[in-house]
Amino acid sequence: MNKAKRKAVIAGNWKMNKTAGEAAELISALIPEVAGADCEVVICTPFTDLPVAVSKTAGSNISVGAQNVHFEKSGAFTGEISADMLTELGVEYVIIGHSERRQYFAETDETVNKRLKAALAAGLKVILCVGESLAQREQGVTSELVALQTRIALGGVSAAELKNVIIAYEPIWAIGTGLTATAEQAEEVCKTIREVIAALYGKAEAEAFTIQYGGSMNAKNADELLAMPDVDGGLIGGASLKAPDFAAIVKAASK
Ligand SMILES: O=C[C@H](O)COP(=O)(O)O
């Protein structure tokens, strides 16, 4: 299978932005802009926006995702949201292991793995985030680190379940900084991730597997990043908050 046959996914991660009212406005603007896109389009909204996002996107080509999920089904976990709560709302995707969760909310590779398995068991599709800090890149451990993050996150995940997983490679130093990895840097790490998938699940599974780049992707750099052989899409932060900016990236992925 070559890249042309792989599923390209452009996902917006709104992070902690947009009230429900603002979400409704952004989605209304986005629907006509991305209609007919030749890639999958996902918006990952704050929890409080999910009901409006699901209802507003009904009948469109936009799927809705959450930005985190807890690994227990229910119980005394104040402030947390379970996978069943998301699926009952009609949510299709969830981001797991974003570096901001790892950095600010003490997520570890082990809890990422638990969340990922709980999400898959509930029928959610997962966007698993991996990536190195600037210090780690400068130490020359990027490949090893990303491979390890990937292996631990996917522990206990079957080949059948893997079909519902996407990996987003997000160098932490490129997130929200305006610094983008070069296309070659993005390709190198995405290729490493594909090799890890091949070692764990086989070559055919690896060739079919979607790997996104994330980190200051925008309308200007999307073409070059998405042209790389192992970059199949993007996880977009800042540029997903304006309909024309996000739509331009969706168009780049649809070429
Ligand atoms: O999840 C998205 C990434 O963290 C990228 O964010 P950014 O596009 O604002 O750099």
Side-chain angles (χ1 to χ4, degrees):
M1 184 184 283
N2 61 24
K3 181 172 175 176
K5 293 184 186 154
R6 237 179 257 147
K7 182 178 65 169
V9 181
I10 299 295
N13 174 10
W14 291 7
K15 307 193 178 182
M16 196 174 74
N17 292 292
K18 306 291 176 189
T19 64
E22 291 165 346
E25 279 177 33
L26 176 54
I27 293 166
S28 295
L30 201 54
I31 289 172
E33 294 248 24
V34 302
D38 191 18
C39 67
E40 204 165 326
V41 182
V42 185
I43 52 170
C44 297
T45 78
F47 288 130
T48 48
D49 295 351
L50 290 171
V52 74
V54 169
S55 68
K56 290 283 288 183
T57 57
S60 79
N61 60 333
I62 302 174
S63 302
V64 174
Q67 298 171 12
N68 189 26
V69 66
H70 197 259
F71 44 82
E72 295 291 349
K73 279 188 89 64
S74 62
F77 302 101
T78 302
E80 294 294 321
I81 300 285
S82 74
D84 289 343
M85 292 172 183
L86 296 178
T87 54
E88 194 186 278
L89 282 181
V91 171
E92 206 179 323
Y93 279 87
V94 63
I95 297 172
I96 293 179
H98 192 282
S99 61
E100 287 150 16
R101 299 294 317 170
R102 296 179 192 250
Q103 191 176 350
Y104 304 131
F105 303 99
E107 283 281 336
T108 63
D109 288 328
E110 285 70 27
T111 57
V112 166
N113 171 249
K114 287 166 83 171
R115 287 174 205 266
L116 189 140
K117 286 191 288 192
L120 292 174
L124 289 164
K125 295 176 186 168
V126 171
I127 300 174
L128 164 67
C129 299
V130 296
E132 82 287 2
S133 66
L134 187 57
Q136 289 161 338
R137 174 160 283 269
E138 286 171 353
Q139 282 170 333
V141 299
T142 298
S143 292
E144 283 162 76
L145 180 94
V146 167
L148 192 65
Q149 288 175 331
T150 302
R151 283 178 172 275
I152 297 175
L154 293 176
V157 172
S158 69
E161 288 174 317
L162 186 76
K163 295 190 192 320
N164 284 328
V165 180
I166 290 170
I167 291 182
Y169 164 56
E170 298 209 318
I172 297 168
W173 48 272
I175 295 176
T177 57
L179 287 176
T180 315
T182 63
E184 291 71 27
Q185 286 172 325
E187 168 59 19
E188 188 184 9
V189 183
C190 290
K191 188 164 181 271
T192 298
I193 293 168
R194 200 174 304 287
E195 285 164 1
V196 173
I197 299 294
L200 291 174
Y201 296 97
K203 203 164 183 308
E205 281 75 5
E207 283 301 311
F209 192 77
T210 296
I211 303 174
Q212 299 172 314
Y213 167 78
S216 299
M217 193 188 262
N218 57 41
K220 289 202 180 96
N221 58 31
D223 271 333
E224 198 187 349
L225 287 159
L226 294 169
M228 300 313 282
D230 288 289
V231 179
D232 308 314
L235 182 57
I236 324 296
S240 70
L241 297 174
K242 289 191 179 139
D245 295 358
F246 188 60
I249 301 172
V250 168
K251 282 189 187 100
S254 302
K255 282 179 189 162

